[in-house]
Amino acid sequence: MKVLLLTNSNTLSIPAIKKIKDDGLLVGVGVLKKHVNLLASSIHAAGVAHEEILQLERSSWVEELSLFIKEHHVETVWVLTFPWVIPESLLSVLPNRFVNFHFGLLPKYKGADPIFWQLKNSEELGGVTIHLMSDQVDEGPVLLKEELRVIPGENYGLHSRRLGEMVPSMVEKILSLLKSQPNEFLTLKSVDKAFDQKPTEDDLTIKWGEQSATEIEYLINATNPKYGGAFTVVAGVEMRILEVTPVSLEQRIESGPGQIIHADVVYGVVVACINNEYLRITVVNTAEGYMSGVKLFNLGFLPGQRFTS
């Protein structure tokens, strides 16, 4: 079965690209032209030649793909994190053969960034949901759904890599399902609320007076590395925190949420949260660069100063 793959992510798609290429099924990989410099080296390393990469532009991509599908006798198109909605005019070129590999558990986690929301919401499970595509985002009959347990403390990048490594084992199952032309599909449980929007800057901002230490830690993990960390301000300096660790103190310290309660050259900076919980800041991103919590102390961030939203 000849496969054309569309992607906008190295981490999530390269294991699948390599598997399909090694199996002799891949006829091309479509990427956004503006992102080709970021993706091409990894795609080449997976065995894909330069001429097998389709560089797509917003003004002409639908016509280009339609022509490519017909000229190369493509039998199925697999979509892994492609950012543009595929219109009905293109889906009809290969009816019931556009397959979306959605890196989240549908139907609760739809839309552009299910990985962020699953990690931020401290879900125990992520996963991959594979479905036939319609002209509605993340809708269509579900072929296969496999779960992946979230490792405590893992960030967006690590979880993405583990999701990507799941896909090769699912390739044969999807090929078999497509060849059998299924008329029965998985039934998904309905949910009261779906997380289907891209996170806003407010979603990426630490709310020291509202969020528990655990909630802040999960938010920070969900923003690392894709969003550069969770946003906060201290002493007028904007920064994004990329990593923290919980701290247990023998004695309670009178402090407000967001307040630095300890800073030295050994432990770096420790910040108070609500409910008498504390976090040690280990990695941050500032305008001056990435640095450790110890360097924050060396730069003059001291007890009594307060982090704010």
Side-chain angles (χ1 to χ4, degrees):
M1 184 172 286
K2 295 182 178 181
V3 179
L4 168 63
L5 189 145
L6 307 180
T7 189
N8 196 43
S9 168
N10 279 338
T11 304
L12 293 168
S13 67
I14 292 302
I17 291 172
K18 187 176 189 308
K19 166 65 175 173
I20 301 166
K21 180 66 176 179
D22 289 348
D23 289 349
L25 305 175
L26 190 70
V27 295
V29 177
V31 302
L32 276 61
K33 185 174 183 179
K34 64 181 180 180
H35 293 161
V36 70
N37 290 336
L38 298 173
L39 301 173
S41 60
S42 296
I43 295 173
H44 290 321
V48 179
H50 176 76
E51 60 272 14
E52 294 175 309
I53 299 178
L54 289 74
Q55 300 184 33
L56 304 172
E57 297 192 68
R58 188 67 188 239
S59 60
S60 57
W61 71 280
V62 172
E63 294 77 13
E64 290 173 6
L65 282 181
S66 179
L67 182 61
F68 185 92
I69 289 169
K70 293 172 183 176
E71 289 184 343
H72 292 79
H73 306 289
V74 173
E75 296 172 84
T76 181
V77 180
W78 291 5
V79 180
L80 290 84
T81 72
F82 195 69
W84 297 334
V85 177
I86 298 177
E88 179 61 35
S89 61
L90 186 53
L91 294 174
S92 63
V93 175
L94 278 178
N96 297 321
R97 286 295 182 269
F98 275 79
V99 181
N100 184 36
F101 288 68
H102 181 74
F103 292 94
L105 298 181
L106 295 176
K108 184 175 182 179
Y109 291 99
K110 303 171 64 175
D113 204 345
I115 296 172
F116 168 82
W117 290 113
Q118 287 173 150
L119 293 179
K120 180 181 183 297
N121 293 343
S122 65
E123 296 284 4
E124 294 183 357
L125 297 172
V128 183
T129 309
I130 303 175
H131 64 92
L132 300 180
M133 298 183 72
S134 71
D135 59 357
Q136 301 297 310
V137 175
D138 297 329
E139 298 288 347
V142 175
L143 297 168
L144 186 63
K145 181 178 180 179
E146 293 192 2
E147 297 174 339
L148 177 68
R149 186 162 295 279
V150 177
I151 298 172
E154 78 174 337
N155 64 20
Y156 191 111
L158 177 57
H159 190 67
S160 296
R161 182 166 297 280
R162 294 175 63 228
L163 287 172
E165 290 172 352
M166 288 178 64
V167 178
S169 66
M170 304 170 79
V171 167
E172 293 298 333
K173 298 175 185 178
I174 296 302
L175 289 171
S176 178
L177 286 169
L178 291 176
K179 290 175 182 176
S180 66
Q181 299 184 339
N183 52 24
E184 294 185 7
F185 302 93
L186 298 183
T187 300
L188 304 181
K189 293 181 179 179
S190 61
V191 294
D192 294 330
K193 179 181 180 181
F195 293 84
D196 56 0
Q197 301 295 320
K198 294 181 69 173
T200 64
E201 193 62 27
D202 184 66
D203 294 321
L204 304 174
T205 298
I206 299 173
K207 314 282 193 312
W208 295 98
E210 302 172 19
Q211 296 170 322
S212 68
T214 299
E215 289 172 328
I216 292 171
E217 182 182 9
Y218 277 109
L219 170 62
I220 289 168
N221 290 337
T223 62
N224 180 14
K226 182 172 181 178
Y227 298 100
F231 180 78
T232 190
V233 179
V234 59
V237 178
E238 295 183 353
M239 65 180 65
R240 292 185 180 272
I241 302 179
L242 291 110
E243 185 178 275
V244 294
T245 56
V247 174
S248 297
L249 300 181
E250 293 182 359
Q251 292 183 331
R252 176 180 174 180
I253 297 176
E254 291 296 330
S255 58
Q259 184 176 338
I260 298 175
I261 55 97
H262 179 87
D264 65 18
V265 295
V266 177
Y267 293 102
V269 171
V270 178
V271 184
C273 302
I274 62 174
N275 305 324
N276 299 317
E277 297 174 326
Y278 306 91
L279 291 172
R280 182 164 70 95
I281 297 176
T282 53
V283 183
V284 301
N285 178 14
T286 71
E288 291 73 33
Y290 293 89
M291 60 187 69
S292 66
V294 170
K295 284 189 177 181
L296 286 181
F297 165 72
N298 290 334
L299 289 173
F301 294 95
L302 301 171
Q305 294 176 323
R306 188 183 300 272
F307 285 86
T308 60
S309 300

